Each structure stands twice: as C-alpha cells, then as structure tokens.
Amino acid sequence: MFKKTLISLAVASSLGLTGCFESGETGANANPDYRIQDTTIDRSIVRPIYDPNPIAAEPKFPINADLILLLGATQSANYDFTGLSTGTSPADAAVNDLSGFSTSGAFTLKFDGELNPATVMANATVFVLPLNVGPAVASAPEALPNTNPSSIVASNPFGQGLGLEQPNFRADVVSVDGGVNNAVRVVPLEPLTEGQKYLVVVTDDVQGANGKPIERSVQDVALADGVLGNPALGNVKTILQTADQLANGFLAQMQTGSESALAYTFTTNSDTDVLRAMMAPVAFGPALGQKVGFTAALKAVRDNYPTQNFSQLTTTLGELQVLAAGLQGGSVDPSSLTAQQLNAIAALGASQQVANPTAIGNAIGQEVGDTLHLPVPRPSFFFPKSEAANLATIQGLDASNSIAQAATQVQVHQGAITLPYFQSLPGETGAGIVTGIWGGSTSLEADLNESLRPGDPIFSFLRDIDGTLNVNGYFPFPQKNADITVPVVIFNPSTDSRPQTCVDATKPNGVTIFQHGITVDRSVAMLPAILLAQSSCQAVVAIDQPLHGLAGAAPGTVPGLTELDETTLTAAVNQLLQAPGVAGSPLEAQLNALINADYIGERHFGYTANESLQPVPADLADISSGSLFINPLNMMNSRDNLRQGVVDLLNVAASIQTMDIDGNPGTQGDLAGVPVNFIGHSLGGISGTVFASLANDATLNITLNGTYAQAGLPLSNFTFPTLNSVVLHNTSGQVTRLIENSPAFSGQVLGGLANAGVTQGASDFESFFYVFQSISDAGDPVNFAKGLGASTTNLLVTEVVGDTTVPNEANVNPLSPAFSAPLTGTEPLMALLDLGAGGTMLSDGSEGLGIIDTDTPTGGAMPVASFFDGTNPCSDANHGTFVAPIAPASACPGGASDTSIAFSAMITQTAQALSGQPVPGSSVPAIGASLGSSTTIESALDQDEQQAP
C-alpha cells in the first residue's frame, strides 16, 4: 500500500495539495480528514489499508493507483499526467517521472489483519480487468493520455467484443512489515498490455484468518458513500464510486455472489515507445502532430486565462470551442460573451489557422533526423590494422592453443565512432554522470514553433508541475545533449592469411555486433571474436556500454587493446584529411565531426565510483569500468544508461555499411552488403534483446528504410539491416528484480536500501521496487522479448545452470528472503521468446524454441535454447565462460576457473547460429561434455500450473 515514508505526495503538508482542493470558503481546509466516530465498527473484520483521501494526514493508496497520476491536474497550468510527489527520496523523484505503472512489476495490497491464503485466488477472488477507455479528446485521440477514469466507456466498460487481452497473473498472500499473511501480492506472469487501464478488484469472498469475509476500508466507505466533509473532494469521491460500481457490476455479471472489498484503477505505461520512436520517428509523427495542435489551442486559452490550472484550462477550452461553434453557426450572440471569452475565441481561431494539420506535418517532417533522432551512418575512423596474434593476451598463450592458432588469421582494427548522447556529460565535477536523465526535446519544440510562427511561439508541450518536459510514452522524443566520439574495435578475418571459411577475398561472410556485460569492457570480445572471425568468417564489431571502457593497469579486462586518446586520434584524422580526394568530399565533414565532438575518449569519462557510488576522477589504472552504471540513488539515471546503450547499438548497426577499415578513403563501406548479426552477453543481452527486437520489428524497420529512401542522397543509398541471427548468452529480463536476486549484485544495492531503513519484507521495499520497475519498463527486455521471438527465427539463447550473476529464474528459487519474481532470470526470458515464436510451454521444446540439454542433447534448427552445466563453476561453466574460458576466481583451485571445454562448446554453437545453420548438440564432443539440465524450466511463468492457451 501507499505509504508516505517512502513516497510522499506532499499531501501531509498544509502547503501540498490542500490548496488545490479549496472550496473557496474560509477554513475549508482546516479539517480535511473525514472524521470517523462510529464506535460500532467491527474491528475483528480484516480490511484493506486504504485511505484514498489525498489530503488526509496519512493517505494510503495502492502504489499504482491512478489517483497518483491525476493529483497534479489542479496544481498549476503545467501538467503532463505524470505522478506527483515532493519527497526527496529516489522513489519520490521517480514518481514525478511516472507516466504510468509497470507492465511486469508485482504490486502489494496490504491489509490490517491476517488473511486466509486459501481464499485468495486469481480470477476468483482477485481480479485484474482491462477496461475500455475512450480518447480524452475525441477529435485528436493521441493528444492526451487516457489516464482519467472519466474516459472509461460506460456502455461497454470491459470492452466486450473488442479483444482486450486478459492478463496472466498470480495472487500470492505474503507477510510484510512484521505481520503474518497480511498482504495480497499481484504478480504478473506475462507483461500486461502497455498503455492499458485496469480495474483491480478484491472481493469479500476473501476471508480473514478468523473466517470472516473482508470488507471495504472504513475510510473508503466514508469518502465514497458518506457526506463529504470537504466538497472539494468531489472528484475523488466520483473516482471511488466509479471503481466500486464497475467492480460490483462485473461481479454481478459473473454471478459470483460476492461484492467488492477493494476496487481501484491503474494505467500501465507505454514508455517502450520512446525507443520505438528513436528507431522510426516517422511512425510517431501523426501523434506528435495532434499534440502540437492541442497544445497550441491550450496555449491560446492559457494566454487569456493566466490564473487557471490545467484542469480548469481544459474545461475552459471545451467551453470556448462550443461557444466558437455557436458564434459561427449564429446560435450564440457575441454580446452575451465577455471580452475575455471573445479574445480567447479569437486567439483559438488564429492558432488553428497557423497550427493546421498540413503546416504541422510539414514542420515535423523537417525535424526527422535532426531533433527527431534517426539511426543513420555515423562518422567513424580506424587506425591501421594490426595482427590479432600480436595482442598481449594472445602473446601469453602457448602456440598450440586453438585461440592463438586462430589469431594468425585475424586482424584487429581499432578506431572511433561518433554517437549522439542523450545522457548528461559529466560536467566539471562528474556529477552529471549520476544526476543526468533524459529530458524532452526542447529543441524540437523550438524548431516547430519557429517553423509555424517565426519569432512568436504558438504552442508549448505539456510539462510537469516543475516545468520539466518529460520523456515517456506520451512524449517519446528526448533532447540530444552531446555528440561523443568513443572507441570501437573490429576483429576481422585476415585479408593476408585468409580463413578457408571465407567465401569472398576481402569481405567477411557476415558482420556480428558484440555487446559485453556489466563492469567489463569491449576487450572481452577478443577471445570469442578471434575464434568466430577465423571459424565462420565473421567481422566482430564491439563498442563499450555507456560508462564502461578500458581501465585498470593492463588496461582492459582482457589485455591487448589500446585506450582511445584524443590527441592521437586527432592527429591521425588530420593526416587523413590531407589525403587526396578527401577535401570537399562528404568524408571531410564526417572526419571533422569525429574530432570536433563534445567528448573524445573512453566511455567512463575518466571517472569511477567511490564507496558512496558517487563519481570521482581517477587515473586509468584506478578506474573500475561500469562502476557507475547501476544507480539505485537515481532510478531514471539507471534506466537511461540502459536506453542509451540500446540507441548506441541502433546507430552502430546503421554505421556498419560506411566503415572504412582498409585504409583507403576512396573505398568506404568495406563491410557493406553482408548479413548483420548480434551477440549479447549478460548486460549486453539485456540491452541487446531490446535492440534486436527493434531492429527486427518489421513495421519499424520498413518505416525507417522508407525514411532513408525519401531522404535523398546520401541516405537513400543505405539500408538499415534486419538482423540475420541473434545470440543471447546468460541474460535476463525484469532488471530490477534481477538485481535483488543476483548473488553477485544484490548485496550492494540491498545494503544501501537497508541503510535508508528500507528492507526486504517491508511494504516500503516492495513499493520501491515496483516504482523502480515502472521506471525501468522503458528499456526492459521483458517488454520486448515476445516481439523478438515473433520476428526472429535464427535465435540462440543459452543458460549456465546455476549462474550466480544472472539467476536462471527467481520464481521457484528466489534469493532468500526475496519474494517470488516469475519474470526475472534467463528462463522466463526464454519462455517469453518462446511464446513470441508460437510456443505454449518452454519445457516441451516442440513449438517455438527447441531445447538442447542433457535430456534432449541432439541439437536442431533455430530458434533454440541451450543449457550448460554449471555445477562446478571452476571447471564446468560459469557466467563468464563465453568471454573468458580461464579467469581469476579466488574460490577455485589455483585461484582461477578453467571452463575451456564449455567455452569451446559455446563458440561452436554460436558460430553455427551466426551462419544460420542448425545448432549442434552432443554430436560435438565439447558440447556433449558441457550440457546441463534445468529442473525449473517447467515452472517458467508458472506454465506447469496452467493449461496451454
């Protein structure tokens, strides 16, 4: 339940929301609580802890109640349907950024006594019902979010015949805050529909431990059914009554014989649209146009009614539009209107003439690829090639080692690429690294205004109460803050000692983008990339994740690569600028952009985390790569680091076709025209699942390539690739609960929360993680996995059974004392991919994903999931095996793990997958010796307890 100790709505303060509910009478807010004096209330009856009075001293809402998103409408003229909180905790800051609630997070409903768990059943006594909601603005359905429950279609509230997707969820009884069986935890087993309003209902067929049916909370009954002590709470009363009436109407229709004991609505976010819009902004142009048109009309009203809040402004706008129509039709006498009304109507008319659909559409078209991000070929440069056999790590191998032998046929191209950066640069102190979050594009707003009415802004996008232009599903257009030139490395099949697997004398058989895991760097691509380049003629391209990079004494996790130095790069690029034919060519502008970026260097910016997770400048040897990537003190910062990584991959994919690695500036595009693949390991699989889902989304891909075609030269010469094969090693979805359930990472995050008084088993803790997941949804694989499974046949997903970094699952075996998290871990991600691919149950391996494990070891065509034995992480397989067959490990004999056999098995399977061939099983000795078997895949998404749909 909502509790102000974690997420304060400021309603406990007389300076908070009390002013917005004033009735205009003196003393109206002197006693905002409805005082309960009925001493006959039966306290033996268990009730939900639910005080929906937003101006009570201690309001208590479910953490995902729509009311949290609606409170800001009366606070000022600024309102964008995001949450309202004036507390200072990380969760409070996150609430202010919420445009809706999580599609995958579990939410907890607390009660004031012990429940009988046997009476709590999903779709019997606990319901989550999708609602049919009409547009807030009928003439412009994309102009405003449909958050207000007043938009529920009264004639068909549950959308009968409309095909609304019924949620798959579980209702668990848990113990929180020292109580026993005193909360119902609603646990999605698949992501809920994005941008969908739901009605949560708990019926009085739920019983307390004493056998008595539960009842509505006293405060709920008093506010919804009683006489208001404060007339300004009328809208809240209506919202409560609507929810209760809908719930009881549904229960009557279903003939349950029960009544609602708790009913409220919540709306899921659609924040994944941010990345979709950054992939193909043209697809979101019509919705953007409606927002411009509506806010232009709203500004015309606001200019004439400057004291009105947002709620009043929208009401006035509607009234003025009716009056304007009456004036035009002759049914309204102008003399009956005030000068203020006439001026506002005139302003509305002028606004509509300027901000008409054609003009708006033309203005938006000019912004595509400018203030509206478009993945396009970015400036890149590569130093002269070197031999992989000369890398420090390879030099340390015995000549008989298979990697050393493969390296003799592989060349290394180190260089730089310029990428658009939507996060904040460090600034003078480095603070921007941890405080920065994506903001809405004010440049887009300014440019559109200038196009529509130069020198005189005609509209202003909806903003938060504090004036912030947020980035979310409603407004999915972030502001670019910088251009950064960062390292890139390519491991390419040698053109001097050509591998036999190559079918062309110079081009590779394919290009594979590799993305590494957390707290390492691009150097971990080295060993798998060398083998893949030699054995399957793949050119492997690797960049660093945001806030990662070569670091340490070597530097780099796997020594041998060279850190990017601005002076060295600038000198090399300036030399190339003097080459014949470069001056005056498009290449000249690209090279100048590369060395004139806002930042040039490793992506950690020369900062590392101190004990308080704050950035401090450090020498390269003292930097810990990625130490600032996860930021529990700023949820939005963590989310946007992940989103930035996805956008980086989109731009790298677009840029492959222009990369020049042969040293001849006259032959750009040395890697163009071959299939493009992707490998993601750990965190690289998290961002990579999202990237691959976007790249292979047919609608987005076609739209983006249509934009290329219409843009003219040079962009019309290029094609954004569809990924041929996708390989995901040891990865997961539902990032927040992954952190809670990872033995490797949970301690630091949970310890920090415990120091703040928020501990596992507390309702505050559950609220924190629910808000964190609501924020993280925007870039979480759990919301993209089905799409990837549906679009991509050549898909290999692997798991090390017993992985202690990314858990296999957290449904059956959550990391104690965590509650069950059925969408966290590798296996639920596999199950969602399987559902997308047409499967019904992951473990059967017959539809969707096939299974390769000790029980079904033969291998087969993709899509496929492969399981490796991690019983002994020192010698079998572990989380890092794919990138480091031999790695330091203090718990292992000799201080190192040696999982070389499993490494060979993983490389063999990966190489076949990248070539689009069936993935081998035990017929390959190394694979046969390395396969494992999971005892929990039957329980993925509780599929063993449900009938196949």
Side-chain angles (χ1 to χ4, degrees):
M1 284 299 194
F2 185 95
K3 197 171 182 183
K4 76 167 187 174
T5 54
L6 177 65
I7 306 170
S8 171
L9 284 175
V11 294
S13 166
S14 61
L15 299 178
L17 290 182
T18 52
C20 80
F21 288 108
E22 286 182 359
S23 66
E25 301 173 8
T26 302
N29 290 307
N31 186 13
D33 282 311
Y34 190 95
R35 299 301 182 183
I36 308 301
Q37 299 179 352
D38 188 351
T39 59
T40 65
I41 294 172
D42 186 349
R43 300 296 179 182
S44 69
I45 293 175
V46 176
R47 296 176 175 85
I49 297 179
Y50 183 37
D51 184 354
N53 181 352
I55 56 175
E58 291 280 350
K60 296 180 177 66
F61 307 147
I63 189 60
N64 57 353
D66 271 336
L67 192 56
I68 295 172
L69 303 179
L70 296 170
L71 290 171
T74 56
Q75 291 294 281
S76 76
N78 285 328
Y79 175 58
D80 62 354
F81 295 84
T82 55
L84 175 64
S85 179
T86 58
T88 58
S89 76
D92 289 296
V95 167
N96 285 327
D97 201 47
L98 285 182
S99 63
F101 299 102
S102 179
T103 59
S104 68
F107 55 93
T108 302
L109 309 173
K110 189 178 176 184
F111 290 76
D112 64 6
E114 184 178 353
L115 300 171
N116 177 359
T119 64
V120 177
M121 296 170 284
N123 296 316
T125 59
V126 179
F127 297 89
V128 180
L129 306 168
L131 294 171
N132 179 22
V133 183
V137 181
S139 61
E142 301 291 337
L144 290 176
N146 298 329
T147 308
N148 197 326
S150 65
S151 296
I152 296 170
V153 178
S155 61
N156 186 16
F158 298 105
Q160 291 180 320
L162 299 180
L164 298 183
E165 185 176 355
Q166 300 301 311
N168 182 11
F169 72 99
R170 193 174 71 206
D172 296 344
V173 175
V174 297
S175 302
V176 298
D177 299 329
V180 176
N181 293 334
N182 61 335
V184 173
R185 192 166 183 261
V186 178
V187 187
L189 297 171
E190 297 176 40
L192 305 178
T193 302
E194 297 178 45
Q196 174 67 56
K197 188 178 293 298
Y198 290 92
L199 176 70
V200 177
V201 182
V202 182
T203 78
D204 60 7
D205 278 343
V206 172
Q207 298 175 4
N210 58 11
K212 294 183 179 181
I214 65 171
E215 293 183 0
R216 291 166 63 194
S217 76
V218 175
Q219 295 88 347
D220 178 19
V221 172
L223 185 52
D225 302 339
V227 178
L228 288 178
N230 184 340
L233 291 170
N235 286 338
V236 177
K237 180 185 180 77
T238 299
I239 289 173
L240 299 179
Q241 290 177 333
T242 298
D244 200 50
Q245 291 166 4
L246 285 170
N248 285 321
F250 169 81
L251 296 173
Q253 183 179 11
M254 299 299 293
Q255 298 181 344
T256 64
S258 60
E259 292 187 356
S260 169
L262 173 65
Y264 71 94
T265 65
F266 75 97
T267 306
T268 55
N269 69 65
S270 57
D271 291 352
T272 58
D273 278 348
V274 175
L275 289 173
R276 292 189 175 97
M278 298 184 78
M279 165 79 176
V282 170
F284 293 81
L288 175 59
Q290 292 183 26
K291 292 171 177 58
V292 172
F294 175 80
T295 53
L298 196 67
K299 182 179 183 298
V301 177
R302 186 170 60 244
D303 289 346
N304 287 277
Y305 293 83
T307 63
Q308 288 191 352
N309 61 44
F310 181 86
S311 180
Q312 294 166 333
L313 286 170
T314 54
T315 300
T316 301
L317 173 59
E319 294 170 348
L320 291 172
Q321 288 173 330
V322 171
L323 291 173
L327 286 172
Q328 188 174 13
S331 62
V332 173
D333 183 354
S335 64
S336 66
L337 303 182
T338 67
Q340 188 177 36
Q341 289 174 317
L342 290 170
N343 289 338
I345 290 171
L348 274 173
S351 168
Q352 291 170 354
Q353 286 184 347
V354 174
N356 62 75
T358 299
I360 293 172
N362 291 337
I364 291 173
Q366 296 173 22
E367 298 305 309
V368 174
D370 184 10
T371 61
L372 292 172
H373 171 268
L374 198 69
V376 295
R378 303 289 175 178
S380 63
F381 169 83
F382 290 88
F383 294 100
K385 66 187 178 185
S386 61
E387 300 299 320
N390 294 331
L391 296 171
T393 294
I394 307 305
Q395 286 283 296
L397 300 177
D398 187 87
S400 63
N401 184 283
S402 61
I403 301 175
Q405 292 176 349
T408 62
Q409 293 186 298
V410 178
Q411 292 168 331
V412 184
H413 304 264
Q414 298 189 68
I417 185 171
T418 301
L419 297 172
Y421 200 56
F422 298 87
Q423 273 285 52
S424 296
L425 292 174
E428 293 183 2
T429 65
I433 293 175
V434 292
T435 61
I437 64 173
W438 286 14
S441 180
T442 54
S443 295
L444 171 64
E445 182 181 63
D447 283 5
L448 291 176
N449 270 304
E450 190 64 18
S451 293
L452 292 169
R453 193 165 67 185
D456 184 12
I458 195 168
F459 79 96
S460 174
F461 289 125
L462 299 186
R463 280 167 163 74
D464 209 339
I465 288 174
D466 62 4
T468 301
L469 181 56
N470 288 315
V471 180
N472 49 44
Y474 168 72
F475 187 78
F477 310 110
Q479 174 74 35
K480 186 181 79 169
N481 289 322
D483 289 301
I484 58 173
T485 295
V486 296
V488 59
V489 61
I490 299 176
F491 297 88
N492 193 48
S494 175
T495 54
D496 301 318
S497 177
R498 200 71 174 155
Q500 292 182 352
T501 52
C502 295
V503 297
D504 185 270
T506 57
K507 285 186 181 292
N509 294 355
V511 174
T512 294
I513 301 170
F514 175 92
Q515 189 57 284
H516 65 76
I518 195 166
T519 69
V520 290
D521 54 69
R522 65 189 182 277
S523 71
V524 299
M526 183 187 300
L527 304 186
I530 287 172
L531 290 173
L532 293 171
Q534 190 274 335
S535 66
S536 57
C537 198
Q538 293 291 313
V540 180
V541 180
I543 63 167
D544 293 297
Q545 293 269 11
L547 304 185
H548 290 69
L550 297 187
T557 305
V558 180
L561 299 184
T562 304
E563 66 271 22
L564 180 63
D565 175 72
E566 180 176 2
T567 301
T568 303
L569 176 68
T570 302
V573 170
N574 279 328
Q575 183 177 2
L576 180 58
L577 284 168
Q578 305 307 312
V582 172
S585 72
L587 180 60
E588 181 181 33
Q590 296 283 303
L591 293 173
N592 279 315
L594 191 87
I595 58 175
N596 287 296
D598 299 290
Y599 170 78
I600 300 174
E602 296 291 322
R603 299 203 66 176
H604 46 59
F605 297 106
Y607 286 85
T608 195
N610 63 15
E611 293 181 355
S612 301
L613 299 181
Q614 294 301 302
V616 292
D619 294 333
L620 197 67
D622 298 321
I623 291 173
S624 176
S625 176
S627 59
L628 292 162
F629 187 88
I630 296 177
N631 185 358
L633 302 178
N634 186 329
M635 300 178 189
M636 293 79 73
N637 179 257
S638 295
R639 171 201 64 197
D640 292 339
N641 288 336
L642 188 60
R643 289 201 291 201
Q644 181 68 53
V646 174
V647 176
D648 293 341
L649 291 173
L650 289 173
N651 281 290
V652 169
S655 302
I656 286 170
Q657 55 204 312
T658 61
M659 290 180 174
D660 173 28
I661 63 173
D662 67 359
N664 181 358
T667 58
Q668 299 291 299
D670 298 332
L671 303 176
V674 299
V676 178
N677 309 300
F678 176 78
I679 298 173
H681 176 250
S682 191
L683 174 63
I686 291 173
S687 58
T689 298
V690 179
F691 155 67
S693 179
L694 294 169
N696 285 8
D697 182 302
T699 299
L700 296 178
N701 195 288
I702 291 171
T703 301
L704 176 56
N705 279 305
T707 304
Y708 280 14
Q710 295 175 11
L713 296 175
L715 199 55
S716 58
N717 282 333
F718 303 123
T719 300
F720 188 87
T722 296
L723 300 176
N724 181 64
S725 295
V726 175
V727 180
L728 304 172
H729 289 294
N730 306 337
T731 193
S732 173
Q734 204 173 59
V735 175
T736 57
R737 295 294 180 175
L738 182 160
I739 294 171
E740 183 189 13
N741 285 278
S742 169
F745 291 108
S746 61
Q748 183 180 32
V749 175
L750 300 185
L753 290 174
N755 290 337
V758 182
T759 58
Q760 287 175 293
S763 55
D764 282 358
F765 181 93
E766 290 301 301
S767 294
F768 179 94
F769 268 83
Y770 183 80
V771 172
F772 198 176
Q773 186 59 47
S774 295
I775 288 293
S776 301
D777 271 352
D780 197 304
V782 77
N783 289 318
F784 293 86
K786 283 187 181 180
L788 178 58
S791 67
T792 307
T793 299
N794 291 346
L795 179 63
L796 168 64
V797 192
T798 74
E799 170 182 291
V800 172
V801 179
D803 192 330
T804 57
T805 300
V806 172
N808 298 159
E809 57 85 46
N811 187 20
V812 178
N813 300 303
L815 185 64
S816 182
F819 291 138
S820 173
L823 287 171
T824 294
T826 305
E827 289 169 15
L829 184 67
M830 288 175 170
L832 291 172
L833 291 165
D834 177 69
L835 290 173
T840 57
M841 189 168 184
L842 172 64
S843 60
D844 65 19
S846 59
E847 305 133 341
L849 271 65
I851 299 293
I852 304 175
D853 61 7
T854 52
D855 296 325
T856 53
T858 55
M862 294 182 285
V864 69
S866 187
F867 294 81
F868 292 89
D869 181 19
T871 302
N872 185 345
C874 295
S875 58
D876 295 328
N878 57 51
H879 181 75
T881 292
F882 180 72
V883 295
I886 301 174
S890 59
C892 295
S897 63
D898 185 346
T899 56
S900 298
I901 295 175
F903 170 75
S904 176
M906 292 177 183
I907 292 295
T908 299
Q909 287 193 336
T910 300
Q912 288 295 101
L914 297 179
S915 300
Q917 301 299 311
V919 177
S922 58
S923 61
V924 176
I927 297 175
S930 304
L931 290 178
S933 182
S934 170
T935 60
T936 52
I937 59 171
E938 291 84 359
S939 302
L941 311 183
D942 280 4
Q943 290 176 341
D944 57 338
E945 300 178 13
Q946 303 174 50
Q947 293 182 349

